[in-house]
Amino acid sequence: MVLVLGVSAGAGGAHAMLTHSDQPHLPPIDRCEVPRRAGGGVEESVFEAIRRMNGAAGRRDELISGTAVTCRCPLHADAIRAGVSGRDVTIVDEPLAQLRYLRFTGQLPDSGTVILYDLGSSGLTITHADCRTDTILSSKRSTVLGGDSYDSLLRWRLARDGVLTDTPTIRRHREELSEARVVTAIDDGTGDRAVVTRSDLAELCAAGIHHSVSFVRQIIDETGVRPEAVVLLGGCTRNPSIRSELAELIDLPIVYDPEPEIVSARGAVLLAAERRGGDVRMARIRMRAGATLVPVGVDRRKLIAAAAVTIALGATIAGLLATSKDAPRPEGNKVPPPAELVVPTPGASD
């Protein structure tokens, strides 16, 4: 079997996984997460991840036959391309890698379109893509929403209760609430304690989630094409409260992979086995007026309310956002459970 390396690059750092080309869905041979250094370029974390995984392959006395790196934007792709000149590294548009893995695991519809809802540490990216042609109909990104923003809101919540903590600890508490219903935060300086629940975090995130739903409705309204499903990606969607809120607010089936933060890297593994070097780009089209598959309406009152939420949320986060972005994540070795399909409650609002 061929040993390949898949890397996903983002503003917060890089995820990498080393595995055999026909086993991207299984626990990898090795994996790592390299946070982006404050003031450093996105390429630094990518190159460090590649270095570590080459070391892991060398210790097994094996050779990596292909490497693919996913990028969210042309700026990141240019930075990485400049550093890998002369190497057999394939640079891939991130949504393409996500679609490739979703298709491999049977989570992608055979026809129609899907919304890729990617909520990571640095922001939210929404991509409306055609499942059959791997074409982007439209995409939007917001840096108001994301793990860094939620960390700042959680820090404010604990500070209000008299507990001061650093950025890595806040990040760890937020991630713990994806598995546990209650965590206890401790102020290392005073010894004071504060309890925060999953419901508390959901309340802090509620305004941002409502805003993101207006984003989804807007992108559907712009393309005029009703998607078959919304795919939740990015580490923030591990939180059950966020998934539940989205399922209630979006009148579409929701697809959730058990490890949403490494779907891009898993897709890169598949593409690394197929291609050697160069760029793999997605086509983008502009929908013509009247090219509607299913008419989609948008409630004007909800859009106005969402605009108000956005202004308030942006002002709050601007005052709270932290500078440190280091966030260690425990690594697991278990086989991921089957993908989860959540059907929205009948009668949920559009």
Side-chain angles (χ1 to χ4, degrees):
M1 290 182 288
V2 178
L3 191 66
V4 291
L5 172 61
V7 184
S8 63
H15 286 89
M17 57 179 295
L18 182 67
T19 189
H20 293 113
S21 58
D22 60 344
Q23 299 177 347
H25 56 303
L26 299 180
I29 293 170
D30 207 336
R31 64 191 286 182
C32 70
E33 178 183 358
V34 182
R36 185 175 178 178
R37 179 179 63 83
V42 66
E43 71 278 4
E44 289 185 16
S45 55
V46 170
F47 299 152
E48 174 61 18
I50 292 175
R51 186 191 68 79
R52 292 184 189 181
M53 293 298 93
N54 273 281
R59 288 189 291 274
R60 293 172 55 88
D61 198 25
E62 293 193 59
L63 179 67
I64 297 175
S65 63
T67 299
V69 180
T70 71
C71 296
R72 182 177 298 127
C73 68
L75 185 63
H76 290 172
D78 289 342
I80 295 168
R81 189 181 298 108
V84 298
S85 179
R87 305 183 194 176
D88 288 334
V89 175
T90 304
I91 299 177
V92 185
D93 283 348
E94 185 170 51
L96 182 62
Q98 293 167 344
L99 292 172
R100 184 71 177 79
Y101 179 69
L102 293 168
R103 185 177 293 113
F104 175 85
T105 54
Q107 301 175 70
L108 196 69
D110 294 331
S111 61
T113 66
V114 292
I115 296 288
L116 302 176
Y117 180 104
D118 193 344
L119 185 59
S121 63
S122 62
L124 169 68
T125 303
I126 297 178
T127 305
H128 196 172
D130 185 277
C131 299
R132 187 176 59 83
T133 62
D134 289 341
T135 301
I136 294 177
L137 277 63
S138 183
S139 64
K140 292 183 180 296
R141 179 164 175 81
S142 171
T143 55
V144 174
L145 310 173
D148 294 342
S149 303
Y150 295 148
D151 289 347
S152 296
L153 292 171
L154 184 57
R155 176 184 285 109
W156 168 82
R157 169 69 166 73
L158 291 174
R160 190 188 67 180
D161 293 341
V163 173
L164 302 179
T165 57
D166 57 20
T167 296
T169 303
I170 287 288
R171 176 64 57 89
R172 188 179 73 250
H173 288 330
R174 176 174 61 78
E175 292 175 347
E176 287 171 346
L177 287 171
S178 295
E179 305 293 336
R181 294 186 177 276
V182 179
V183 298
T184 300
I186 304 174
D187 189 317
D188 291 335
T190 64
D192 291 341
R193 296 169 177 257
V195 173
V196 60
T197 68
R198 186 181 290 170
S199 297
D200 293 331
L201 181 61
E203 184 177 344
L204 292 172
C205 298
I209 294 301
H210 279 75
H211 166 64
S212 74
V213 171
S214 74
F215 241 39
V216 172
R217 291 195 180 103
Q218 182 182 9
I219 204 169
I220 294 173
D221 184 57
E222 288 177 354
T223 61
V225 179
R226 187 175 181 83
E228 299 295 319
V230 174
V231 183
L232 302 186
L233 303 162
C236 290
T237 62
R238 276 184 172 269
N239 189 288
S241 297
I242 290 179
R243 298 202 303 272
S244 177
E245 185 81 0
L246 287 168
E248 182 178 346
L249 293 172
I250 299 176
D251 187 20
L252 290 166
I254 291 182
V255 175
Y256 169 71
D257 188 90
E259 292 188 292
E261 72 279 6
I262 60 171
V263 167
S264 298
R266 291 186 187 278
V269 163
L270 291 166
L271 291 163
E274 298 171 2
R275 305 168 187 268
R276 299 293 177 85
D279 290 8
V280 183
R281 306 296 305 276
M282 290 187 75
R284 297 171 182 263
I285 64 173
R286 296 185 63 182
M287 299 299 295
R288 301 188 309 274
T292 306
L293 298 183
V294 178
V296 178
V298 178
D299 191 325
R300 185 176 297 276
R301 290 173 301 173
K302 291 180 180 178
L303 289 179
I304 294 174
V309 166
T310 303
I311 294 171
L313 182 64
T316 301
I317 292 173
L320 299 174
L321 199 59
T323 55
S324 176
K325 297 183 181 295
D326 291 341
R329 180 186 296 279
E331 297 181 1
N333 294 317
K334 297 181 179 179
V335 175
E340 171 182 339
L341 178 65
V342 182
V343 180
T345 304
S349 59
D350 291 336

